[in-house]
Amino acid sequence: MDEALELFSLSGEEILIVMADGEYIGALSRRSLFNAKRYGLKVNLSEIAEEIPSGETFPGLEVLRNPLGAFLVLKETPKSLITLKEGPLLQEGLFKKETVKLKGELKTFAQILCEISSELGVSAYFVGGVVRDLILNRPCFDIDVVITRKVQKFAEKFARALQGEIIKKSLFGTFKIKAGAYIFDIAQMRWEYYEAPARLPRIAPGPLRLDLFRRDFTVNALALCPVTGQIVDFYGGVADIFSQKLRVLHVLSFIDDPTRIFRAARYATRFNLELTKTTLRAIDLALKFETLNLLTPARLRNEFLRIFEEKEPLKAILFLKKHRILKKLFSLDPDETLFKKAFHLAEVAGLGERAEIELVALLLAGSPEEFAKLELSTKKFESYQRQRKSLEEKASWLLDPAIPVSEKVFFLEKFPKELLCASVSFLDEDFLLRCFKHYFKVSPGLSGKDLKRLGLNSGPILGKILKKIRAAKLDGQIKDGEEITFLEKELKNGFPS
Ligand code: ATP
């Protein structure tokens, strides 16, 4: 590493090519090497070298492009790479410049952005997910805007123009505006660096290029100029969207901020993206240097909550399993089938996001300490453990066909739904499904008031009567609408004794 750092100083280059035994391994950036050294990571250069995927071709030349920059390679002698700054390449028009035609409300927002920025003498861009979603023709209601200066003034004017309101000001000086169905985040363009792995970044105002470089993946490192509709794409994000690639901006990305791995799980599964070699290398590094365990419980929990906001959270969880992330954080290692069954039950049961977090914790955590990693109390873990034991003790009783359904239902419904879902490893899946779909929803069809109206005296007896009616329904003795006849008959027989 020291030798390479010296080579960087001597050559004045930002990128050097790593080769081993005459084979081309990848490109090493001064920044990644410097940060690896600063964080005290002991790595081989090949571990932090980044791939340079092929891009457009020209007679005799091929342009290799990645977030580190653009390279020209002579085709006949593939080992000789010439690094070029992207500026001249863009000027020469070697890369296609994408433009987007803004429509509907977004067009109105763009016009307002233009007016306010010229009034204040600043530049404004749409950035991040909204640009990606525009290219993909997907609706987007969370819109990020970066501007060069005067953020507060800009946010105030923008909120007023949209008849919205500023609902939050963040630690990083960004403003959240709510206007109808839309949420805007207005921020000053900035660059950032990390003092240590998994910490929150230090920030400073910076140019658009660096503001985009601090982002998680190339597909999100895009800006859109509201004046021209032109996409600003320094890092090949447009090509990655079209070729469905999930590429980090640099190989230490997940060491800087391990929450990005969870973001990767969401994007890869939501957009069906393939991880590039550098992204896979970035995961290996985060695992090797234990950065995941440096995340605070609040941050980790937040990432899981965001996963549960996805349409198909199970896919994202299985992504984390496949890439060994879950195993690094938790000691239980459920197989795919168990995850599938538990998540299917959770869907049928209609668990909310909070209960889903507890379900995941129940499936993964083998100790109170692991449970606490998701900001859940260790006491709760112990209470779940006790309840789980009672369920386990009754597992064979629950399977016994001679036991009336009502007894089983009365027993099971005392337990939290998330625990029942997690217990599908030892409880009958079909019976649980029937409970969530039907049995738990069966009602006596009459209320205490109804019983009083029928001449019964109030008291705990009413509860017992209602339970008996419900049991009769669960056991198929009566159907909806037959409650009163059943009650009258039973009362004649001295019910309840
Ligand atoms: P989603 O569709 O999931 O809401 P989004 O792209 O809008 O995706 P946000 O979480 O709203 O995601 O973040 C907005 C933008 O900020 C992202 O597009 C990304 O460029 C950047 N960003 C957010 N979190 C991170 C992070 N942890 N590291 C780097 N960049 C981030």
Side-chain angles (χ1 to χ4, degrees):
M1 286 171 88
D2 286 336
E3 203 182 326
L5 276 172
E6 201 174 331
L7 285 178
F8 273 115
S9 297
L10 288 170
S11 63
E13 290 292 335
E14 287 303 315
I15 294 148
L16 291 175
I17 304 306
V18 181
M19 307 206 33
D21 302 328
E23 283 301 315
Y24 160 70
I25 302 288
L28 177 68
S29 81
R30 182 202 287 267
R31 189 193 321 244
S32 290
L33 180 63
F34 178 74
N35 279 330
K37 174 105 180 152
R38 205 162 60 87
Y39 294 156
L41 311 180
K42 298 241 172 315
V43 282
N44 285 323
L45 295 187
S46 58
E47 284 176 282
I48 53 168
E50 304 185 13
E51 67 177 317
I52 310 177
S54 290
E56 286 103 304
T57 53
F58 300 92
L61 288 173
E62 189 173 5
V63 180
L64 302 177
R65 198 179 187 212
N66 89 342
L68 293 178
F71 300 76
L72 286 185
V73 57
L74 293 167
K75 272 191 184 160
E76 300 75 39
T77 51
K79 281 164 203 161
S80 64
L81 289 153
I82 311 159
T83 71
L84 286 182
K85 291 228 160 51
E86 209 166 303
L89 277 175
L90 284 169
Q91 280 159 24
E92 287 162 33
L94 290 182
F95 292 124
K96 272 185 260 149
K97 282 181 214 148
E98 300 284 338
T99 42
V100 171
K101 213 168 163 51
L102 294 171
K103 289 180 284 191
E105 282 176 301
L106 218 59
K107 192 171 169 186
T108 316
F109 300 148
Q111 279 159 352
I112 297 173
L113 277 187
C114 294
E115 280 161 25
I116 301 176
S117 25
S118 78
E119 204 180 304
L120 293 178
V122 299
S123 305
Y125 291 87
F126 290 117
V127 281
V130 62
V131 187
R132 175 202 68 213
D133 289 344
L134 258 174
I135 295 172
L136 288 169
N137 223 348
R138 284 180 165 237
C140 179
F141 295 95
D142 273 327
I143 301 182
D144 290 346
V145 172
V146 290
I147 56 174
T148 40
R149 296 172 301 125
K150 302 186 188 172
V151 194
Q152 177 145 2
K153 266 224 165 75
F154 194 99
E156 285 163 1
K157 279 181 182 286
F158 194 60
R160 215 172 304 133
L162 292 175
Q163 294 177 332
E165 53 167 340
I166 296 178
I167 52 170
K168 201 172 153 194
K169 191 182 165 190
S170 86
L171 274 178
F172 298 108
T174 65
F175 291 82
K176 211 177 250 314
I177 294 172
K178 182 165 169 40
Y182 290 90
I183 301 280
F184 292 87
D185 263 301
I186 315 281
Q188 181 165 12
M189 280 176 205
R190 62 180 192 256
W191 73 283
E192 55 189 32
Y193 67 92
Y194 293 80
E195 283 180 320
R199 292 255 183 92
L200 289 177
R202 301 286 303 256
I203 58 166
L208 185 60
R209 178 185 257 275
L210 290 182
D211 188 283
L212 296 176
F213 188 76
R214 75 180 171 82
R215 289 166 192 276
D216 46 4
F217 303 102
T218 55
V219 292
N220 286 338
L222 295 167
L224 174 73
C225 172
V227 184
T228 58
Q230 210 167 69
I231 289 176
V232 183
D233 176 15
F234 291 111
Y235 307 113
V238 175
D240 284 343
I241 289 180
F242 289 126
S243 56
Q244 294 183 284
K245 294 277 185 322
L246 192 66
R247 188 188 313 279
V248 282
L249 272 293
H250 57 93
V251 74
L252 295 186
S253 186
F254 298 155
I255 297 253
D256 284 345
D257 180 355
T259 64
R260 292 175 185 158
I261 301 183
F262 296 85
R263 299 177 67 82
R266 290 195 288 120
Y267 296 126
T269 52
R270 190 196 307 166
F271 300 119
N272 198 16
L273 306 178
E274 183 197 348
L275 273 55
T276 65
K277 275 192 197 140
T278 305
T279 309
L280 290 169
R281 234 173 240 181
I283 294 182
D284 289 343
L285 288 171
L287 290 173
K288 177 171 169 182
F289 293 106
E290 306 282 343
T291 34
L292 283 161
N293 279 302
L294 298 176
L295 284 174
T296 61
R299 290 183 79 194
L300 198 55
R301 179 185 176 85
N302 188 45
E303 292 309 320
F304 276 97
L305 279 174
R306 293 202 67 181
I307 283 179
F308 287 118
E309 285 167 14
E310 293 290 314
K311 249 197 191 138
E312 296 183 279
L314 175 63
K315 278 191 177 172
I317 296 286
L318 293 178
F319 173 103
L320 294 172
K321 177 175 166 62
K322 176 177 163 199
H323 292 285
R324 300 152 288 150
I325 307 304
L326 300 180
K327 217 171 166 186
K328 195 71 183 175
L329 288 161
F330 302 99
S331 55
L332 303 184
D333 188 20
D335 62 16
E336 207 173 308
T337 322
L338 178 55
F339 270 121
K340 282 187 178 156
K341 285 183 181 174
F343 272 62
H344 178 52
L345 280 167
E347 204 184 323
V348 175
L351 294 192
E353 280 156 22
R354 276 163 207 285
E356 280 170 328
I357 292 271
E358 310 215 351
L359 168 61
V360 159
L362 282 164
L363 290 170
L364 296 171
S367 68
E369 294 71 34
E370 285 176 12
F371 211 63
K373 284 185 182 182
L374 288 171
E375 234 187 0
L376 297 169
S377 83
T378 49
K379 273 205 185 116
K380 195 145 196 195
F381 177 80
E382 279 146 18
S383 139
Y384 274 134
Q385 288 291 87
R386 276 194 302 273
Q387 297 184 80
R388 195 185 155 96
K389 219 167 149 227
S390 333
L391 280 171
E392 268 169 347
E393 281 164 6
K394 289 275 195 177
S396 47
W397 176 82
L398 284 162
L399 283 174
D400 184 348
I403 310 290
V405 168
S406 60
E407 279 188 41
K408 295 179 185 174
V409 171
F410 293 153
F411 170 74
L412 285 175
E413 65 189 0
K414 283 184 289 193
F415 294 89
K417 285 182 180 166
E418 61 277 12
L419 180 66
L420 295 179
C421 296
S423 304
V424 66
S425 53
F426 59 87
L427 294 182
D428 179 27
E429 187 190 6
D430 279 344
F431 190 71
L432 287 173
L433 273 172
R434 270 182 278 143
C435 282
F436 289 134
K437 276 190 189 157
H438 176 61
Y439 295 151
F440 288 170
K441 295 179 193 160
V442 168
S443 88
L446 294 175
S447 67
K449 265 189 193 158
D450 294 330
L451 296 187
K452 277 193 250 168
R453 232 178 280 133
L454 289 168
L456 287 157
N457 294 330
S458 42
I461 195 79
L462 296 190
K464 283 189 186 164
I465 295 176
L466 292 176
K467 191 170 174 187
K468 190 124 193 197
I469 300 175
R470 188 165 173 245
K473 280 180 141 181
L474 282 165
D475 296 330
Q477 294 168 12
I478 57 166
K479 294 198 197 80
D480 282 343
E482 295 174 357
E483 297 89 350
I484 295 190
T485 336
F486 172 76
L487 178 64
E488 284 166 352
K489 211 165 90 194
E490 290 291 315
L491 283 172
K492 261 190 218 150
N493 296 340
F495 157 73
S497 56

